[in-house]
């Protein structure tokens, strides 16, 4: 069995420590691991902010964000104790002088490992790394965690990585894709490699198509500037959807260590069929939402504005929806379409992977109509679970009438315990130095190369967005083969 490494005393230095991500995800994740006693060593958290914050304001927001993440009874003292571990430091510029306070703090605990968490725009990553190095705050035990987006093109991503790699070596760099920390995503490995039934039929011999959908009801919130540069393709496909595709399509790794797993994912990324001006028109669809009504999670219906209104502009070609029919040109997946679909302001918030198996070779029950193939549905959110859809005879006399029925596994019902948030697992992995669930530089570059084949072909063909109403399923039908249908449509 794999040895679980003990967590050693640490300092976490969060650049962008007053940012939305830090409040919503990073502090709550550390807090829950602390409450669960998984972090049971000495530790300090330094929240680095660029603009000056009053203590009162910062700590009351922090307390609120932690309280909002708790959905069970908890002694208030735990929150108070945790808040005491967090120190606020203002660093307006990345200069040795501005880093003096941080330096003197970290020098109080030289035996601790230092985790530098970069939760700022990526163009600051290089400068932060350089200044940390000049201040002699990086040693062989240090680690750096990088939030996405790591650039907006292959070239800018390479440039950012080059600057960081002058200060940290690859085994110290943790590029986060929070989808890899989701329980059901990790379960993909177990499902595939610990169940003979599935692994046996896991190829184009038996699988007809794969659909990966990440549908969101939220719009772009206050991230207009960022989103205008990224769009759905870079915001979601380049990272989250491609990572899911890799886990479904990769060959069994020789071992479970980081490099074996990442080597297999890299092979998938390198086998993705590139797009050109012809295929991009036939096999991709981009869309943008206009105003409409959204009602999700049983909340009352609300009217929402269009993307253009959300970004306060009259025109924009940024896509808020994308659907792609992709192919992996290797032995295992020859001619099996992998449909990828993601969008903002869609009808329901749900993320699902559907493996559609081929139908039986010969239909014995022809008079009763067509037999659809089995489907394995892996639901990532909102209710995590797995379903196996199979043809089942309807009870009663009168011949063989049948319909597809699901065998269901609901995570919450089956395990009856709180599922940790993705960030909780990932942060613990950083503390342990476990890199399997983080992207390696070459993986990231291979993903960029493929994404750029789409982006460049879109630019050359001037492919227009199809407008879709907020609260609908978007326009993805155009890329489907006749025999396929998006599930949930
Ligand atoms: C982020 C994207 O990486 O993932 C957001 O930048 C998106 O636009 C989010 O909303 C989705 O994450 P989750 O975990 O809510 O599916």
């Amino acid at each position: 069995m794999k040895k679980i490494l003990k967590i050693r005393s640490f300092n976490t230095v969060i650049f962008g420590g007053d940012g939305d991500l830090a409040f919503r995800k990073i502090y709550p994740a550390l807090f829950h691991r602390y409450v669960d006693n998984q972090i049971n060593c000495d530790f300090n958290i330094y929240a680095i902010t660029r603009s000056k914050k009053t203590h009162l304001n910062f700590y009351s927001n922090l307390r609120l964000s932690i309280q909002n993440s708790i959905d069970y009874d908890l002694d208030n003292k735990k929150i108070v104790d945790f808040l005491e571990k967090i120190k606020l430091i203002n660093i307006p510029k990345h200069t040795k002088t501005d880093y003096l306070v941080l330096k003197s703090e970290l020098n109080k605990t030289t035996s601790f490992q230092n985790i530098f968490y970069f939760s700022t725009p990526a163009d600051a990553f290089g400068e932060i790394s350089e200044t940390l190095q000049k201040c002699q705050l990086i040693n062989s035990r240090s680690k750096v965690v990088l939030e996405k987006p790591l650039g907006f093109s292959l070239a800018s991503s390479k440039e950012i990585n080059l600057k960081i790699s002058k200060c940290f070596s690859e085994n110290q760099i943790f590029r986060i894709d929070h989808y890899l920390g989701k329980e059901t995503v990790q379960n993909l490995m177990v499902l595939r490699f610990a169940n003979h039934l599935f692994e046996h039929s896991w190829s184009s011999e038996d699988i007809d198509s794969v659909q990966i959908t990440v549908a969101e009801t939220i719009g772009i919130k206050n991230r207009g500037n960022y989103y205008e540069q990224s769009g759905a393709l870079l915001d979601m496909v380049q990272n989250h959807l491609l990572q899911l595709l890799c886990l479904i399509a990769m060959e069994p790794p020789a071992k479970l260590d980081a490099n074996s797993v990442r080597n297999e994912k890299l092979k998938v990324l390198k086998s993705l069929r590139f797009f050109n001006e012809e295929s991009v028109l036939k096999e991709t669809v981009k869309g943008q939402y206009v105003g409409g009504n959204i009602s999700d999670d049983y909340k009352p219906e609300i009217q929402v504005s269009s993307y253009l209104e959300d970004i306060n502009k009259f025109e924009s070609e940024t896509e808020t929806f994308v659907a792609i029919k992709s192919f992996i040109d290797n032995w295992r997946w020859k001619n099996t379409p992998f449909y990828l679909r993601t969008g903002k302001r869609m009808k329901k918030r749900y993320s699902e992977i559907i493996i559609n198996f081929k139908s039986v070779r010969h239909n014995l029950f022809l008079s009763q109509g067509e037999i659809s193939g089995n489907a394995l549905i892996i639901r990532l959110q909102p209710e995590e679970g797995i379903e196996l859809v199979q043809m089942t005879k309807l009870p009663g006399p009168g011949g063989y009438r049948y319909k597809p029925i699901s065998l269901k596994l609901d995570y919450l019902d089956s395990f009856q315990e709180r599922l940790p948030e993705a960030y909780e697992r990932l942060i613990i992995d950083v503390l342990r130095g476990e890199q399997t669930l983080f992207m390696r530089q070459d993986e990231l570059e291979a993903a960029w190369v493929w994404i750029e084949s789409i982006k460049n072909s879109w630019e050359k063909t001037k492919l227009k967005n199809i407008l879709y109403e907020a609260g609908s399923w978007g326009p993805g039908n155009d890329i489907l083969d006749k025999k396929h249908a998006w599930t949930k449509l």
Side-chain angles (χ1 to χ4, degrees):
M1 215 166 72
K2 209 172 170 202
K3 220 172 97 203
I4 295 193
L5 297 174
K6 203 172 153 346
I7 295 173
R8 292 180 314 183
S9 306
F10 66 92
N11 295 311
T12 302
V13 184
I14 305 174
F15 290 87
D18 53 346
D20 177 60
L21 184 87
F23 280 122
R24 268 189 314 112
K25 300 286 185 191
I26 306 173
Y27 299 122
L30 284 160
F31 172 73
H32 287 289
R33 292 300 91 214
Y34 168 69
V35 170
D36 264 15
N37 218 18
Q38 199 167 24
I39 301 181
N40 52 11
C41 53
D42 284 337
F43 70 96
N44 298 299
I45 299 172
Y46 297 99
I48 310 296
T49 63
R50 232 172 64 171
S51 53
K52 233 181 164 64
K53 295 273 171 273
T54 65
H55 269 64
L56 188 66
N57 190 282
F58 176 80
Y59 284 99
S60 60
N61 283 340
L62 190 55
R63 176 186 283 271
L64 196 69
S65 75
I66 288 175
Q67 272 163 347
N68 285 342
S69 73
I70 304 171
D71 50 9
Y72 50 92
D73 286 338
L74 187 74
D75 179 0
N76 197 38
K77 178 156 183 326
K78 282 277 178 195
I79 304 185
V80 176
D81 290 350
F82 181 75
L83 291 183
E84 273 173 12
K85 302 266 186 196
I86 304 180
K87 299 183 182 95
L88 181 62
I89 301 182
N90 174 240
I91 296 189
K93 289 203 200 94
H94 304 297
T95 61
K96 269 172 98 173
T97 325
D98 282 17
Y99 277 45
L100 277 180
V101 179
L102 176 65
K103 183 170 176 165
S104 79
E105 279 293 329
L106 294 182
N107 282 344
K108 287 182 196 161
T109 50
T110 45
S111 63
F112 285 22
Q113 64 165 333
N114 290 333
I115 311 290
F116 299 106
Y117 200 124
F118 295 178
S119 178
T120 62
D123 50 12
F125 290 1
E127 248 186 313
I128 303 176
S129 306
E130 273 164 28
T131 323
L132 288 171
Q133 195 174 48
K134 279 188 208 147
C135 297
Q136 292 170 327
L137 289 174
I138 304 176
N139 59 36
S140 59
R141 282 173 294 131
S142 311
K143 305 197 171 75
V144 62
V145 185
L146 308 179
E147 271 297 338
K148 70 175 259 276
L150 284 169
F152 290 98
S153 62
L154 175 62
S156 62
S157 165
K158 275 187 169 173
E159 200 182 311
I160 295 164
N161 274 306
L162 184 67
K163 286 186 186 156
I164 297 167
S165 64
K166 288 188 179 147
C167 308
F168 294 94
S169 57
E170 186 62 32
N171 65 4
Q172 297 178 293
I173 304 178
F174 291 72
R175 299 178 188 85
I176 277 211
D177 183 314
H178 77 280
Y179 265 56
L180 291 179
K182 291 184 191 270
E183 276 298 324
T184 28
V185 176
Q186 288 167 50
N187 190 39
L188 272 174
M189 297 267 280
V190 178
L191 191 78
R192 282 196 56 192
F193 303 129
N195 290 290
H196 183 69
L197 178 69
F198 295 129
E199 188 47 24
H200 202 64
S201 41
W202 210 259
S203 74
S204 52
E205 292 271 311
D206 293 287
I207 292 178
D208 184 67
S209 68
V210 175
Q211 290 181 6
I212 304 176
T213 299
V214 179
E216 301 185 278
T217 47
I218 53 167
I220 47 140
K221 298 189 167 166
N222 50 6
R223 301 160 76 216
N225 286 341
Y226 154 74
Y227 204 84
E228 269 293 273
Q229 288 185 76
S230 75
L233 184 69
L234 305 194
D235 185 46
M236 297 296 287
V237 183
Q238 195 266 351
N239 34 72
H240 308 325
L241 276 86
L242 276 187
Q243 286 296 318
L244 296 179
L245 177 141
C246 284
L247 291 179
I248 297 164
M250 72 182 191
E251 293 300 316
K255 296 210 181 84
L256 261 192
D257 64 88
N259 272 337
S260 305
V261 173
R262 299 195 289 183
N263 287 346
E264 295 308 331
K265 281 163 52 194
L266 179 64
K267 285 184 204 158
V268 175
L269 291 167
K270 288 195 163 174
S271 313
L272 278 166
R273 189 181 299 168
F274 290 130
F275 282 88
N276 56 32
E277 288 157 59
E278 197 183 320
S279 59
V280 89
L281 293 177
K282 277 198 269 171
E283 289 167 356
T284 72
V285 169
K286 61 202 273 275
Q288 190 184 82
Y289 63 82
V290 295
N293 295 316
I294 298 266
S295 91
D296 192 18
D297 296 339
Y298 314 104
K299 290 184 198 133
E301 194 167 83
I302 50 160
Q303 217 179 8
V304 297
S305 41
S306 67
Y307 176 71
L308 290 182
E309 284 164 318
D310 287 350
I311 58 166
N312 234 337
K313 285 195 177 159
F314 292 112
E315 56 179 4
S316 161
E317 265 310 315
T318 303
E319 75 291 346
T320 59
F321 173 96
V322 57
I324 300 168
K325 181 178 176 182
S326 59
F327 288 94
I328 300 169
D329 287 332
N330 65 14
W331 278 70
R332 190 186 278 265
W333 295 114
K334 188 175 165 61
N335 292 338
T336 305
F338 279 69
Y339 295 104
L340 311 179
R341 176 174 66 153
T342 183
K344 300 267 184 217
R345 288 282 187 233
M346 295 184 74
K347 195 174 177 69
K348 288 254 170 303
R349 171 177 183 255
Y350 87 96
S351 305
E352 254 177 19
I353 299 166
I354 302 181
I355 317 288
N356 286 312
F357 288 89
K358 289 185 174 160
S359 185
V360 287
R361 279 166 220 251
H362 169 66
N363 185 353
L364 261 188
F365 312 98
L366 205 54
S367 62
Q368 301 296 323
E370 248 181 60
I371 297 184
S372 47
N374 300 113
L376 179 67
I377 304 179
I378 301 145
R379 182 159 310 120
L380 314 181
Q381 50 204 23
E383 287 109 20
E384 293 93 338
I386 297 173
E387 283 180 36
L388 182 63
V389 184
Q390 52 172 31
M391 283 307 218
T392 309
K393 179 185 173 298
L394 294 177
Y400 286 100
R401 287 171 294 123
Y402 45 78
K403 74 172 199 183
I405 305 277
S406 291
L407 290 178
K408 285 189 188 166
L409 172 129
D410 182 297
Y411 257 63
L412 270 187
D413 282 356
S414 306
F415 300 112
Q416 312 255 317
E417 57 187 61
R418 173 181 173 271
L419 288 184
E421 273 270 321
Y423 272 84
E424 295 178 40
R425 162 78 197 250
L426 294 176
I427 287 176
I428 292 293
D429 279 1
V430 174
L431 293 172
R432 289 195 175 125
E434 170 55 77
Q435 287 186 300
T436 311
L437 298 180
F438 297 83
M439 278 185 288
R440 209 169 51 190
Q441 163 80 9
D442 48 5
E443 270 184 86
L444 188 70
E445 286 182 11
W448 270 119
V449 173
W450 184 72
I451 286 288
E452 289 205 336
S453 80
I454 301 178
K455 213 171 152 34
N456 296 341
S457 308
W458 276 353
E459 274 159 24
K460 283 188 195 142
T461 54
K462 300 198 173 34
L463 184 67
K464 290 265 170 245
N465 281 319
I466 300 177
L467 299 180
Y468 64 96
E469 207 177 314
S472 71
W473 282 119
N477 278 328
D478 307 15
I479 59 161
L480 296 170
D481 288 341
K482 278 214 179 68
K483 61 175 177 168
H484 296 129
W486 289 113
T487 314
K488 295 265 173 187
L489 278 178

